[in-house]
Amino acid sequence: MKARIKFRKYGCMKFIGHLDVMRFFQKAMRRADIPIAFTGGFSPHMIMSFANPLGVGVTSDGEYFDIELVEEIDMKAAVERMNQVMVEGIDVVNMVPISDDKKQTGMSIVAAADYLSTVKYNGFPEGWQDKAKDFMNQPEIHIVKKTKKSEKEVDIKPMIYKFEVRGDSVYMQVATGSVENLKPELVMQALGQFLGLDNESLSFAHHRLEVYANVGSDEEKQFVSLDQVS
Amino acid sequence: MRKLALSDEILMKVDKPARYIGNEVNSVMKNKDEVDIRFAFVFPDVYEIGMSHLGIQILYDMLNRREDIWCERVYSPWTDLDKIMREEQIPLFALESQDPIKDFDFIGITIQYEMCYTNILQVLDLAQVPLFAKDRTEEHPIVIGGGPCTYNPEPLADFFDIFYIGEGETVYFELMDRYKEWKASGKTKKEFLEMAAGIPGLYVPAFYDVTYHEDGTIASFEPNNEHAKKVIEKQMVLDMTNTYYPEKPVVPFIKATQDRVVLEIQRGCIRGCRFCQAGMLYRPTREKDVEVLKDYAYKMLKSTGHEEISLSSLSSSDYSELEELVTFLIEEFKDKAINISLPSLRIDAFSLDVMSKVQDIRKSSLTFAPEAGSQRLRNVINKGLTEEMILEGAGQAFEGGWTRVKLYFMLGLPTETEEDMKAIAHLADKIARRYYEIPKDQRNGKCQIVASSSFFIPKPFTPFQWATMLNKEDYIERAKIVNHEMKAQLNHKSLKYNWHEADITVLEGVFARGDRNTGKVLLEAYRLGALYDSWGEHFNNEIWMQAFENTGVDIAFYNLRQRDLEEILPWDFINIGVSKKFLQREWQNALDEKVTPNCRAKCAGCGAAIYGGGVCIEGKN
Ligand code: SF4
């Protein structure tokens, strides 16, 4: 059977990169005696797949990975066992059974994520919140997206599903996953531009709140958090 | 939540920030207000290397068992952070508490290889404590060194308050107790060091004066303080079964060199190879009980979640319960997808059988360490591996499906001739020939024989401690002779030969047998920018040559001079049990090409029996 595990990542653990978080959980599964399934062969691997990787420096309340179990287990007890072998900065939130259908696991179903981004050291001028409310009233939001090979200008507005000023921070829901992917850094950069600021001097703290699957259609999206997908 | 010593901005800027945040599984957190002694345990190399070291895990666990001590870890900041810390005046901190180590009671530095010496200075420098012991006061931590290089601590004598000579498990607690008494008494640092000098195995370099003859050799080495002993006795754990060993080793977040559970099955080696320092230092060989090891295997795998377990010892095949232990590990853990790695096994029917069970034959290679190409030279170094044994083992392995062989050699061994060098190529070729004796339809294509050579460095407390080394150019010349001969072999297409750089060999040679004068070179090289010298990309030989020139220290004096058997050697004040007489006898046996049997076959009376333990008393009570 398959299960999905949700965890939080905060504090100094934000400096642990995606691959090392995977290694961490592989060892944690053993410490917590989770009866996880392995691939065959001379060097067997745990059957484990992570949803959208989180960038180094970003904290999160909604990280997910799926595992395959060799036997049915009491998931509540398993969560407790896992939390006994975690470190400060990683908490297991829940564990839910998921469909055995391959299409329903891991990376492939991720469609959107919520973030809270905060500018550090008062990088935004007094009263920026008022001006920021007009950010989404622009017909298009252009930004230069840099990849290893090229630089191209893209309109990111269609990938921003929600945008809201919350106190000193910006809440946003953006396209995430293997089809379309927008990082909060880019949105904040666009906002900085919109506010007429020098982006080089700005630095943000990004926090992921939740990751969603789309259970609706491409036209009419309906987002459900990954632990609610049945 | 813990506050980190480095800001987010710095941590986002440097490579692998996980090196500096601590918080790993099984790392030990304590309340600093509830402990009496704060101990910073330093491994002067980058995190991934230091975290792989067994000794630090043993002592970290041991010291933290005491409620009044908090032992924390420190590694060398990598060059990127090193630069930032200097620019921004950030004091070096311990991983657990993130507090500056200059406020600690002890800075304990493990000294594993000569090429980390500049990193020791870096650690003290970044910690913002004076480099010289004489400049440190009651306000500063006590700087204590331990590990294999302290068997000749003299090049580092000016920088350390105390050296701990021997295995760490024995007198650390006594030192800690004395320290607490001293701290409460308000006495001077000198009085503390006098107290420390009274503890067996502890060497306080400031309490000794060295005078030199005109030719630079040592004229006298005498205590200048009545508390200092004339001879320092090596400390050793006699009962390896009932001693400290971590059930919960720290598990790094980033991949360390050793990303596995390590079971130390024995300490020491019965073989007596004449070039091998560890083989002499850790005499007598002491084994751990197999039942206790099985228990540790369970507990350590459970507490770490590691997916691999490895055995550690100088020569695993000599462990008397090896078969039982290995069978147990395979039966218990193979199904749980735990890899079992078995380094330093002699190739024979048993080990081949085991290896075929635990690894993919097609991907793995066989390893032999003949160390010398000819039987004559193998007799000189007392390496009991014969050509017959190698061909026999390789033959069995080839028939079992292996196709790759690795061979390790040393060049520049005492008495080495051109014939001996060429014999390396001949031996490699014979192994290849053995492979091609197998009918074509029964073998897996070509075989690959990779021979590697390092250059021999004479080490203190070995029968070769009097031997001369060579010039850099002569080393390279020898490697070229081997390389040329390799190309002339029948199966040259199946042979490969690699050799090490010779620059580092020369420096290691100087510091391995150096006296107090070599400390000047070290400091000068550090000032000129030498750091991470064991890392090819950072090692800069020109800096070192400049440092020798600036300090007027002559490499030839240390490396190219034939030492007289009567000469006072810088490390003569240490007694490791193995007697100087025995080493002299073995040096003569080497020159006579005479083999000395191993400890189990026939005791050679090396002197280590005075400890009254291990192999010396095996079967005798
Ligand atoms: S005294 Fe004999 S048995 Fe003991 S270590 Fe020395 S040679 Fe080996």
Side-chain angles (χ1 to χ4, degrees), chain B residues 150-264:
Chain B
T150 58
Y151 288 93
N152 175 23
E154 293 303 273
L156 296 167
D158 292 341
F159 310 111
F160 282 80
D161 298 307
I162 307 173
F163 288 103
Y164 184 125
I165 315 289
E167 296 170 359
E169 291 98 330
T170 57
V171 297
Y172 256 120
F173 284 148
E174 196 178 335
L175 178 65
M176 296 297 119
D177 290 335
R178 290 292 92 72
Y179 178 79
K180 273 169 70 172
E181 285 166 28
W182 169 76
K183 210 171 156 186
S185 74
K187 289 183 181 165
T188 63
K189 177 174 168 180
K190 186 169 173 224
E191 283 167 300
F192 169 70
L193 292 176
E194 286 175 343
M195 224 154 47
I199 299 173
L202 298 191
Y203 165 56
V204 179
F207 291 166
Y208 297 80
D209 288 327
V210 192
T211 62
Y212 300 87
H213 291 298
E214 210 146 297
D215 65 4
T217 57
I218 296 175
S220 70
F221 184 99
E222 293 295 332
N224 60 29
N225 184 302
E226 54 171 343
H227 298 269
K229 291 183 285 270
K230 244 190 113 77
V231 174
I232 307 288
E233 309 283 344
K234 164 186 91 171
Q235 292 303 295
M236 207 181 63
V237 182
L238 272 185
D239 182 355
M240 280 298 291
T241 298
N242 300 298
T243 182
Y244 302 97
Y245 204 69
E247 286 177 7
K248 297 178 174 181
V250 180
V251 185
F253 292 116
I254 49 174
K255 207 164 165 52
T257 321
Q258 286 266 17
D259 180 36
R260 51 184 76 91
V261 165
V262 179
L263 272 189
E264 186 185 26

Side-chain angles (χ1 to χ4, degrees), chain A residues 165-185:
Chain A
V165 173
R166 289 189 184 167
D168 287 334
S169 309
V170 166
Y171 160 80
M172 65 182 95
Q173 185 171 75
V174 293
T176 305
S178 43
V179 186
E180 278 185 315
N181 196 51
L182 180 61
K183 290 187 169 167
E185 292 91 309

Side-chain angles (χ1 to χ4, degrees), chain A residues 138-150:
Chain A
Q138 304 174 84
E140 290 184 340
I141 301 174
H142 285 271
I143 187 102
V144 179
K145 216 175 171 176
K146 278 185 201 153
T147 62
K148 270 181 203 125
K149 283 187 214 121
S150 65

